[in-house]
Amino acid sequence: MTIFEQLRGAIAATLKVPPDSITERTRDEDLASWDSLGHINLMMTLEQTFDLALEVEDFEKLRSVPAMIEYLKGQGIG
Amino acid sequence: MRKSQNQFESLLTARSRSELRSRVGGSGVKVTLPQAQQLVAHARSLEPAVQTLRLGIVHTYTSDLLDPWLELAAALQGLDLQTYHAPYGLSPHEAEPHSGLVTHKPDVTLLLLRREDLHPELAKPLVRFDRAQQETIAAEALERLRDVVGRFRAQKVGQIVLTILPPALSSELGIYDAQSERSEHAWWASLKARIGQYLRESSQASLFLDLDDVLEQVGRSTFFDPRLWYSARFPFGAEAAREIARRVIGIGAVIKLPRAKVIVLDADNTLWGGIIGEDGIHGIALGPDYPGNAYLDFQRRLLDFQQRGFILALCSKNNPADVDQVLKEHPHQLLRDEHFAARRVNWQPKSSNLQALAEELNLGLDSFVFIDDSDHECAAVRQALPQVEVIQAPSQPVQLPGCLDAVARLEVLSLTTEDLVKTELYAQERRRRESKEQAEQGGGDSRDYLLSLGMKMSVGLNDVSHLARLAQLTKKTNQFTLTTRRYDEQQVQEFIRATDWLVAHFSLADTFGDSGIVGLALIHIATPERAELDSFLMSCRVIGREAESAFLHTLLRRLAEAGVKEVVASYIPTPKNVLVENFLPEQDFEKCADGSYRRDLVKTPPRAESYFPITVEVSPGS
């Protein structure tokens, strides 16, 4: 599974949206359930799924799929 | 694949919701948010929800992030969860008649408060105050809490569950706190005890859910996620959120699902290690050393459940004499003959034995929790008797003592004196049954037998001192009940206060012991001449002694003396109350065209006390 596919499954389950509604360019404003609470749930999901420890400062930077992929690559994942 | 992933995948092979719940509860597997959603989907695919649980949350910190965990806990219990989050803050408007909360009609209202909501000084260090000043703050905090809980209690908001968030940091004086005369811990422990006392004595259907206990269980560094707390005002780490949600939904399960009443235990590899029939009394593991000490601790835990009001029964495939020998002679066996209300030790299938136990105890199978170590026995009982909650005893002895701690239906929201002595009451009943069998073998008739019991009935009228027990009776009684209407303590209290209602209860004593309060009638005096029997119910523990008729006619006589000319009643059939199908006609009620029943007190006066083998004493309300 590519890193995007893993991410898509995790985001879809957390925000309760169909996986198809998430592309490699999706960002927070594209999905109604990606609001401030949804975002915090996503941060938890990201940590648990990829076994990371995010800083509060990272939360704001990770509001889109491309930003997440870039971050994960920076962590040596994918 | 990682170990945790494997463990998680194995959860998804559960074939029933109860099996899934039992596995998730006992596994200790950490669950991520997407996995929680997978579990919810799996639980829902196994069986549809059996009940809706309406939850209202009033909060002074972020509560929405609890939602996925609340959903998980609810799905595992078979509850369809409808949650309302009040606007942020402790606004008095939420406790008004048309508020969002009251309109939501919650079954459970969860109050998520912080210490400083009880007193503004608690936002600053407490230890700057001396003991006397701390006492003043405690008294004022309690007063504030009474006001808050009282306002919500005055509305129909269901069961109130009060929580106070522990501080995010450890005690103010650090390791010296325990020794200081200004100890923050000691102050809080004492205030908590007073909050508990207040709720127990003065506020119906209100429970203090102690988050300190969750903190102890998961540890402070797991309980709090400081990133979420400081950035989003949500205090809990995932594990704590899941555990708190589990406890809150557990309270909902106790309220909405059939009451658990009986814990039925397998013996070999459940109460002791090994197989008594093969290993013998000296070969089984039970005692101070591993693994016998784990079985000993489990037995001790079972006695805790007995103190909560659950009765214990034994169901084992063994030679009866072998099990008897352990109960009587094993030096370390804690559970003795007198701790079991009933036993089935034989080679019959366990499902038949469970049915026989249900008949003997006069309790429904949906009040049974069955514990067995064998995959095969657990699967067979789940298959044959899906209404029985089956918990598989863990194969690792060290996991055994805590294996029932996450079973929601083994929690209690109140305790009555009857609960504390329940097994003793069932044991009395067993002796009574034996005595009856002896009398019948001796050729005596049943009236002689009943007279020989020397029964005395105490009837209490409009008595507020037993609210918890009276409400409990409406909730727990399924068989001997005409209408199966459930009421909470607050509703029972309202009936007692209302001048046009009569609330009567009875207890029954005989030569074998006192039953405690076992019967209840709720009568609405609709007009001075016409009364309606809203509820009439009795615990099956005292069935077969004419207590139900003696009680009814005592009340009918009082109504007739007060000028009531007719009593209207109804029988609402349920799958469980066929026992009372003919009760009303037997008491000279006539069936009307609309299906209700009517009894004319003038044409057919109530029966006299001497008609029954029971002496009746009536005490008017306190």
Side-chain angles (χ1 to χ4, degrees):
Chain A
M1 219 184 330
T2 67
I3 192 162
F4 167 67
E5 282 164 345
Q6 258 183 294
L7 202 52
R8 174 158 71 179
I11 295 174
T14 307
L15 299 181
K16 296 184 193 169
V17 294
D20 295 351
S21 63
I22 298 158
T23 71
E24 293 195 52
R25 281 197 293 277
T26 301
R27 51 175 305 114
D28 55 354
E29 59 213 27
D30 300 333
L31 296 170
S33 55
W34 194 338
D35 56 9
S36 59
L37 290 169
H39 187 63
I40 286 173
N41 278 332
L42 268 187
M43 294 300 100
M44 298 300 101
T45 294
L46 209 57
E47 281 196 327
Q48 295 165 339
T49 308
F50 297 98
D51 200 14
L52 299 166
L54 297 173
E55 305 291 335
V56 178
E57 284 67 25
D58 297 327
F59 290 5
E60 278 317 293
K61 297 176 191 155
L62 299 174
R63 290 194 164 272
S64 71
V65 173
M68 287 177 179
I69 291 177
E70 192 184 335
Y71 180 90
L72 290 170
K73 283 184 175 158
Q75 299 290 314
I77 299 167
Chain B
M1 206 181 262
R2 287 168 298 178
K3 183 179 164 222
S4 62
Q5 184 65 27
N6 278 333
Q7 279 178 315
F8 177 75
E9 299 291 337
S10 79
L11 295 177
L12 296 178
T13 61
R15 282 152 300 174
S16 72
R17 187 166 54 221
S18 123
E19 186 182 357
L20 181 64
R21 178 168 65 239
S22 158
R23 287 200 194 177
V24 172
S27 64
V29 178
K30 288 206 173 72
V31 173
T32 67
L33 273 176
Q35 287 174 336
Q37 311 288 16
Q38 269 180 278
L39 285 173
V40 169
H42 186 59
R44 288 180 183 156
S45 73
L46 289 169
E47 290 163 58
V50 286
Q51 281 277 355
T52 298
L53 177 67
R54 306 186 66 82
L55 174 66
I57 303 182
V58 174
H59 52 104
T60 60
Y61 52 86
T62 303
S63 59
D64 316 47
L65 290 167
L66 277 174
D67 282 350
W69 305 111
L70 290 166
E71 263 176 52
L72 170 62
L76 290 173
Q77 294 292 347
L79 294 167
D80 175 26
L81 183 65
Q82 308 281 334
T83 308
Y84 165 78
H85 294 267
Y88 197 100
L90 193 51
S91 155
H93 299 305
E94 281 301 312
E96 285 170 5
H98 300 293
S99 71
L101 177 73
V102 177
T103 315
H104 184 63
K105 297 196 174 67
D107 302 303
V108 174
T109 290
L110 174 64
L111 303 179
L112 296 174
L113 309 183
R114 301 158 308 161
R115 288 192 189 176
E116 54 262 49
D117 297 319
L118 302 185
H119 202 294
E121 292 293 353
L122 296 175
K124 290 175 274 179
L126 177 76
V127 293
R128 71 193 196 281
F129 297 110
D130 66 23
R131 288 276 292 279
Q133 290 166 319
Q134 286 188 352
E135 172 51 36
T136 307
I137 290 174
E140 287 170 2
L142 188 64
E143 199 40 53
R144 163 86 172 138
L145 189 78
R146 293 166 77 107
D147 177 59
V148 169
V149 173
R151 278 168 197 266
F152 284 103
R153 191 60 291 162
Q155 304 298 330
K156 289 202 164 72
V157 295
Q159 170 81 37
I160 290 178
V161 177
L162 169 70
T163 67
I164 313 275
L165 185 68
L169 299 175
S170 60
S171 48
E172 292 169 8
L173 292 176
I175 57 173
Y176 185 69
D177 180 83
Q179 218 166 314
S180 165
E181 61 166 12
R182 297 183 177 199
S183 165
E184 185 193 355
H185 261 299
W187 176 84
W188 175 238
S190 137
L191 177 55
K192 261 200 314 200
R194 285 151 76 181
I195 293 172
Q197 183 189 12
Y198 156 64
L199 294 178
R200 182 175 68 244
E201 292 175 355
S202 316
S203 186
Q204 274 84 52
S206 307
L207 184 84
F208 183 65
L209 181 67
D210 192 358
L211 294 188
D212 299 354
D213 189 60
V214 179
L215 188 145
E216 268 178 36
Q217 184 180 321
V218 303
R220 188 180 301 273
S221 57
T222 309
F223 186 91
F224 287 102
D225 186 328
R227 299 167 309 170
L228 303 188
W229 178 232
Y230 293 112
S231 73
R233 281 284 140 199
F234 181 72
F236 310 121
E239 213 177 315
R242 183 177 153 203
E243 177 61 15
I244 291 165
R246 191 190 67 76
R247 294 185 186 208
V248 170
I249 296 299
I251 292 166
V254 171
I255 294 170
K256 300 292 280 193
L257 300 178
R259 290 284 167 123
K261 297 171 188 172
V262 192
I263 301 176
V264 185
L265 296 148
D266 170 44
D268 291 332
N269 286 319
T270 299
L271 293 182
W272 50 76
I275 296 169
I276 182 65
E278 293 174 10
D279 301 321
I281 190 161
H282 303 297
I284 57 171
L286 184 66
D289 303 313
Y290 178 81
N293 50 5
Y295 291 96
L296 202 58
D297 252 12
F298 183 52
Q299 292 200 12
R300 201 198 126 131
R301 195 67 173 138
L302 290 166
L303 289 175
D304 293 338
F305 285 110
Q306 199 171 50
Q307 290 301 308
R308 295 188 198 178
F310 297 96
I311 62 176
L312 304 181
L314 197 58
C315 180
S316 159
K317 280 186 181 167
N318 261 313
N319 294 321
D322 293 341
V323 171
D324 249 351
Q325 193 190 10
V326 181
L327 297 192
K328 288 204 178 84
E329 295 170 22
H330 197 289
H332 298 294
Q333 175 75 12
L334 276 180
L335 296 174
R336 301 288 180 183
D337 186 46
E338 69 265 26
H339 293 112
F340 294 103
R343 289 156 58 172
R344 282 294 178 283
V345 181
N346 55 39
W347 298 94
Q348 300 297 310
K350 297 224 170 179
S351 54
S352 324
N353 278 332
L354 288 166
Q355 280 169 312
L357 285 168
E359 272 172 43
E360 176 177 342
L361 295 168
N362 255 322
L363 293 169
L365 279 164
D366 60 3
S367 69
F368 278 44
V369 177
F370 173 63
I371 296 130
D372 199 303
D373 66 296
S374 146
D375 283 336
H376 163 75
E377 297 291 1
C378 288
V381 170
R382 281 192 181 112
Q383 174 73 34
L385 306 171
Q387 65 274 52
V388 173
E389 179 148 7
V390 176
I391 308 290
Q392 184 165 4
S395 53
Q396 301 294 328
V398 295
Q399 304 293 337
L400 185 67
C403 77
L404 298 178
D405 290 5
V407 180
R409 288 165 70 227
L410 295 179
E411 295 287 352
V412 293
L413 308 184
S414 64
L415 266 183
T416 62
T417 41
E418 281 80 5
D419 292 326
L420 297 174
V421 295
K422 191 169 294 158
T423 296
E424 169 56 22
L425 297 173
Y426 277 92
Q428 280 172 19
E429 188 52 36
R430 204 172 66 187
R431 292 197 289 275
R432 214 171 266 126
R433 210 165 35 233
E434 285 159 9
S435 150
K436 186 180 175 196
E437 282 160 14
Q438 275 173 10
E440 281 168 359
Q441 280 163 12
D445 74 3
S446 70
R447 182 162 177 98
D448 289 341
Y449 161 70
L450 290 174
L451 283 170
S452 76
L453 292 175
M455 288 186 281
K456 290 192 177 68
M457 175 179 286
S458 306
V459 175
L461 302 176
N462 297 328
D463 184 351
V464 290
S465 56
H466 301 291
L467 283 177
R469 175 62 179 163
L470 301 184
Q472 187 188 51
L473 274 173
T474 73
K475 291 177 185 175
K476 286 179 127 174
T477 310
N478 296 313
Q479 299 183 83
F480 199 104
T481 171
L482 285 174
T483 53
T484 322
R485 294 188 175 119
R486 315 291 194 196
Y487 296 111
D488 62 27
E489 290 172 43
Q490 196 189 0
Q491 291 167 308
V492 175
Q493 187 174 40
E494 282 164 16
F495 290 136
I496 289 176
R497 283 186 183 152
T499 52
D500 56 344
W501 281 76
L502 176 65
V503 177
H505 65 78
F506 79 86
S507 57
L508 190 66
D510 67 13
T511 51
F512 290 97
D514 191 323
S515 68
I517 295 171
V518 283
L520 172 68
L522 301 174
I523 300 170
H524 181 209
I525 320 286
T527 74
E529 299 193 343
R530 185 167 172 277
E532 296 163 1
L533 196 56
D534 174 88
S535 297
F536 188 85
L537 55 94
M538 187 178 83
S539 161
C540 283
R541 222 156 54 204
V542 291
I543 220 154
R545 289 192 258 161
E546 299 190 28
E548 58 278 25
S549 313
F551 179 51
L552 178 69
H553 287 272
T554 300
L555 300 179
L556 294 179
R557 286 195 302 275
R558 282 191 78 89
L559 290 173
E561 282 161 22
V564 172
K565 294 198 166 62
E566 69 164 355
V567 177
V568 182
S570 48
Y571 164 61
I572 304 176
T574 71
K576 291 184 170 178
N577 70 349
V578 66
L579 188 63
V580 293
E581 194 179 22
N582 297 314
F583 178 70
L584 289 167
E586 282 162 12
Q587 308 303 325
D588 305 323
F589 279 77
E590 285 162 25
K591 193 163 188 176
C592 307
D594 64 354
S596 69
Y597 290 84
R598 189 179 157 278
R599 194 184 194 288
D600 190 320
L601 298 184
V602 182
K603 273 195 210 150
T604 321
R607 295 171 198 163
E609 185 182 328
S610 57
Y611 186 92
F612 304 99
I614 302 173
T615 320
V616 180
E617 190 186 2
V618 181
S619 3
S622 50

